[in-house]
Amino acid sequence: MDILKIGNREFKSRLMVGTGKYPSNEIMVKVLEESGAEVITVAVRRVNLDRSKESLLDYIDLKKYTLLPNTAACYTAQDAIRTAKLGREALGTELVKLEVIGDEKTLFPDNEALLEAAKVLVKEGFIVLPYTNDDPIMAKKLEDIGCAAIMPLAAPIGSGLGIRNPYNIRIIRETIKVPVIVDAGVGTASDAAIAMELGCDGLLMNTGIAGAKDPVNMAKAMKLAVEAGRLAYISGRIPKKLYATASSPIEGII
């Protein structure tokens, strides 16, 4: 069976889904079901962690899904570390999608601060999945300090631009051994398929599904695209050629 391994966890689905921006919590629940996702992200700073009050978590079957807390909206290493610890305490998981944002307009990560925060969290026993630029050098540094997976952006968060630099994504995949999970910028099913055809191990998306006119159907489309792209990758595509090659054998024809 084609299993995705992250740290000491194993998953059948290679699609991870976020929990923000949906028209309603009821639609979010339907999206999670249609997506087939096993891992879902929650923003620690944007979710009410007090279980005595109504919360997003009330709509999530915690026996069915693995929560991946994220440090969204953190702009310093110290803030991200503090938020990660809060998520671990409140949600009971060592998993963390580590984000340290460097620019408010583009939401590009601050890789220097990201590396600083990742070093601390790895030493404290977290299973760290860092959101980073599509930079092969930084990806290798993050792997070397013990991150369980690398999450390079495809394009700016929420932009829907798709894979802007497939060549860097391929280099990252060839450079590191831990899973590569493309995060941010995926807008439609073809973007998801391309990411998987490049050899990425998985995909995390939120806006591409939540912002669609029909989020539930888009979730299903993304699920199928991830599966198709993964299958195409492991099947091995034909090489690209400048000129035609006959589909039917021509040997032996008189």
Side-chain angles (χ1 to χ4, degrees), residues 3 44 49 53 71 79 81 98 127 151 172-173 220:
I3 297 295
V44 175
L49 299 176
K53 301 178 181 179
T71 61
D79 198 10
I81 292 168
L98 180 61
I127 301 173
M151 305 186 78
I172 290 173
R173 176 61 286 170
K220 185 176 181 179

Side-chain angles (χ1 to χ4, degrees), residues 41 68-74 80 96-103 105-115 117-118 127-135 138-139 142 147 149-159 164 172 181-186 204:
T41 64
L68 176 60
N70 69 55
T71 61
C74 291
V96 61
K97 177 194 168 188
L98 180 61
E99 298 182 33
V100 185
I101 301 302
D103 177 69
K105 184 176 181 180
T106 64
L107 299 181
F108 282 142
D110 180 339
N111 282 337
E112 183 178 356
L114 178 71
L115 189 62
I127 301 173
V128 180
L129 289 73
Y131 164 69
T132 180
N133 289 320
D134 54 354
D135 178 357
M138 180 54 62
L142 290 165
C147 291
I150 306 299
M151 305 186 78
L153 56 80
I157 293 172
S159 68
R164 296 203 305 175
I172 290 173
I181 314 293
V182 165
D183 180 20
V186 172
L204 190 153

Side-chain angles (χ1 to χ4, degrees), residues 112-129:
E112 183 178 356
L114 178 71
L115 189 62
E116 178 186 346
K119 288 179 180 178
V120 172
L121 294 174
V122 167
K123 288 182 180 179
E124 296 199 14
F126 281 85
I127 301 173
V128 180
L129 289 73

Side-chain angles (χ1 to χ4, degrees), residues 1 19 32 35 53 64 79 83 85 100 113 128 186 199 220 246:
M1 185 177 292
T19 53
L32 297 181
S35 72
K53 301 178 181 179
K64 183 177 180 180
D79 198 10
T83 302
K85 291 180 178 179
V100 185
V128 180
V186 172
K220 185 176 181 179

Side-chain angles (χ1 to χ4, degrees), residues 3 15 28 33 86 102 107 132 146 162 166 176 183 186 188 211 239 243 254:
I3 297 295
L15 175 61
M28 179 197 70
E33 292 174 353
L86 175 61
L107 299 181
T132 180
I176 67 173
D183 180 20
V186 172
T188 190
Y243 297 102
I254 298 177

Side-chain angles (χ1 to χ4, degrees), residues 7 15 32 45 48 52 59 93 103 109 127 171 178 183 187 240 246:
L15 175 61
L32 297 181
R45 299 185 65 176
N48 183 5
S52 66
Y59 294 85
T93 179
D103 177 69
I127 301 173
I171 292 171
V178 297
D183 180 20
K240 295 180 180 180

